[in-house]
Amino acid sequence: MVFPSKPCFCFLLLSSFLFVCPSQSAPDYSILVYKGCAKQAFQDPNGVYSQAISALFGSLVSQSTKTKFFKTTAGTSQTTITGLFQCRGDLSNTDCYNCVSKLPILTDKLCGKTIAARIQLYGCYISYEVAGFAQISGMEMLYKTCGAKNLAGSGFEERRDTALSVMQNGVVSGHGYFATNYQSVYVLGQCEGDVGDSDCGECVKTAVQRAQVECGNAISGQIYLHKCFISYSYYANGVPRRSSSSSSSSNSISSGTGQNTGKTVAIIVGGAAGVGFLVICLLFARGLIRKRDGMLFCTLKNTMRLDSYTLHFTGYHLF
């Protein structure tokens, strides 16, 4: 008699339970946010500027394995080019390098051989300019985006403004970078690496004011000024856990250690549930085995020939 393999099915369910519950996928830091390209191209018949830019990009990419901000110059006195890169404060060195290493090719593809350019990705940006290029204010707005959905009359704006206020103070004490969430609103702010704390606070304050005016009650927004940027997002079901050093508490600032503790608790709870499920499966399998043994006994009993005291079973004669 063939019995259904339910214990194996139970094991497959357990495997699915343990391995089909991945953590939140890592964000793609290489998504293009915006580009800024000067209208004037290089006059470079001898390839001097091209060589200087190539050397500049090589230096920036190599430094991205060690730091999240670096600024340098390349070229001669006649062809000086200044450039920098910056990664988001919550990126690892590996993520920073992976992000920055894509920027030289993107810059050439999107802007060509222009005398100045800035390419902003989700996790990093790069910019360069030739000596003598016209300077702009650090408060100049370069780019903005606001979510399409609005939450007017729901108390959202008060929660968002509270979160932005906390971030505005935190970015100063955090020396240029801060992220946290407050009542389902996630906020992040960062200043360019060579901006002092006081100027950083003023830049972020301006960005916050622009977000409040430009985005109104939109559920998300990003404001990029020349020397800083901020972003906020509302999550109706709570801010998802992020793989970063930013805070993850629902009402106040917390450290990355607290987030790791949450991950540890989740692993423990998931493991305990998996063990419990395994125990249930084993008990179920044990019950099936007992049932099978009982059915085998009944089969053997029915095949006995009592008149000749001969037992026929599986092709053998037992005397």
Side-chain angles (χ1 to χ4, degrees):
M1 181 178 293
V2 178
F3 294 94
S5 56
K6 290 185 179 179
C8 295
F9 175 70
C10 191
F11 176 75
L12 291 176
L13 284 178
L14 176 61
S15 300
S16 300
F17 180 82
L18 290 176
F19 299 108
V20 186
C21 299
S23 58
Q24 183 186 15
S25 58
D28 184 357
Y29 296 116
S30 63
I31 295 174
L32 177 67
V33 177
Y34 72 89
K35 66 173 183 175
C37 310
K39 295 180 180 179
Q40 183 180 349
F42 284 120
Q43 300 299 320
D44 191 25
N46 298 322
V48 177
Y49 280 107
S50 297
Q51 292 176 10
I53 288 181
S54 178
L56 176 71
F57 284 163
S59 178
L60 294 177
V61 170
S62 66
Q63 288 295 320
S64 67
T65 62
K66 309 169 187 177
T67 181
K68 295 182 178 66
F69 172 80
F70 186 72
K71 186 175 184 178
T72 189
T73 59
T76 65
S77 58
Q78 301 297 322
T79 60
T80 301
I81 301 177
T82 300
L84 63 87
F85 79 85
Q86 181 160 14
C87 291
R88 256 176 47 172
D90 56 348
L91 266 64
S92 66
N93 288 341
T94 299
D95 287 335
C96 182
Y97 169 76
N98 290 336
C99 187
V100 174
S101 62
K102 294 178 173 61
L103 287 168
I105 295 176
L106 275 176
T107 303
D108 185 64
K109 179 180 179 181
L110 297 174
C111 293
K113 304 300 182 182
T114 57
I115 62 174
R118 176 167 175 149
I119 304 298
Q120 175 78 55
L121 304 184
Y122 179 64
C124 64
Y125 71 89
I126 197 170
S127 69
Y128 73 86
E129 60 189 41
V130 298
F133 186 76
Q135 300 298 300
I136 62 174
S137 167
M139 309 295 182
E140 183 83 11
M141 187 166 74
L142 303 178
Y143 180 80
K144 72 166 185 178
T145 178
C146 304
K149 186 176 181 180
N150 296 327
L151 289 176
S154 63
F156 161 72
E157 289 189 51
E158 290 77 7
R159 283 179 284 167
R160 180 202 62 187
D161 291 347
T162 298
L164 289 173
S165 178
V166 172
M167 182 268 294
Q168 185 177 323
N169 294 325
V171 78
V172 175
S173 60
H175 306 295
Y177 174 81
F178 186 78
T180 189
N181 63 76
Y182 175 80
Q183 294 188 357
S184 298
V185 180
Y186 178 81
V187 291
L188 181 151
Q190 185 168 10
C191 293
E192 198 167 279
D194 56 354
V195 176
D197 290 344
S198 177
D199 291 339
C200 179
E202 288 300 314
C203 188
V204 169
K205 179 181 178 181
T206 301
V208 167
Q209 292 171 347
R210 296 298 294 265
Q212 292 167 332
V213 173
E214 300 285 346
C215 294
N217 52 20
I219 63 171
S220 64
Q222 297 178 13
I223 302 294
Y224 290 85
L225 305 187
H226 182 48
K227 291 294 184 179
C228 67
F229 80 93
I230 68 164
S231 69
Y232 74 86
S233 300
Y234 170 74
Y235 297 88
N237 297 321
V239 177
R241 184 173 289 109
R242 295 167 181 266
S243 300
S244 70
S245 58
S246 58
S247 70
S248 58
S249 67
S250 60
N251 291 302
S252 62
I253 303 167
S254 67
S255 66
T257 302
Q259 186 180 23
N260 292 334
T261 301
K263 291 181 179 179
T264 302
V265 171
I267 292 172
I268 293 173
V269 172
V275 171
F277 192 73
L278 177 60
V279 171
I280 293 174
C281 286
L282 291 175
L283 292 175
F284 181 69
R286 182 181 178 185
L288 286 177
I289 291 172
R290 287 183 174 180
K291 182 177 179 181
R292 183 184 64 182
D293 290 344
M295 296 179 69
L296 283 172
F297 177 77
C298 291
T299 301
L300 293 173
K301 185 175 180 180
N302 290 333
T303 58
M304 289 181 177
R305 295 178 57 187
L306 297 178
D307 56 333
S308 61
Y309 297 99
T310 302
L311 177 63
H312 298 277
F313 178 62
T314 64
Y316 293 93
H317 298 280
L318 302 179
F319 298 97

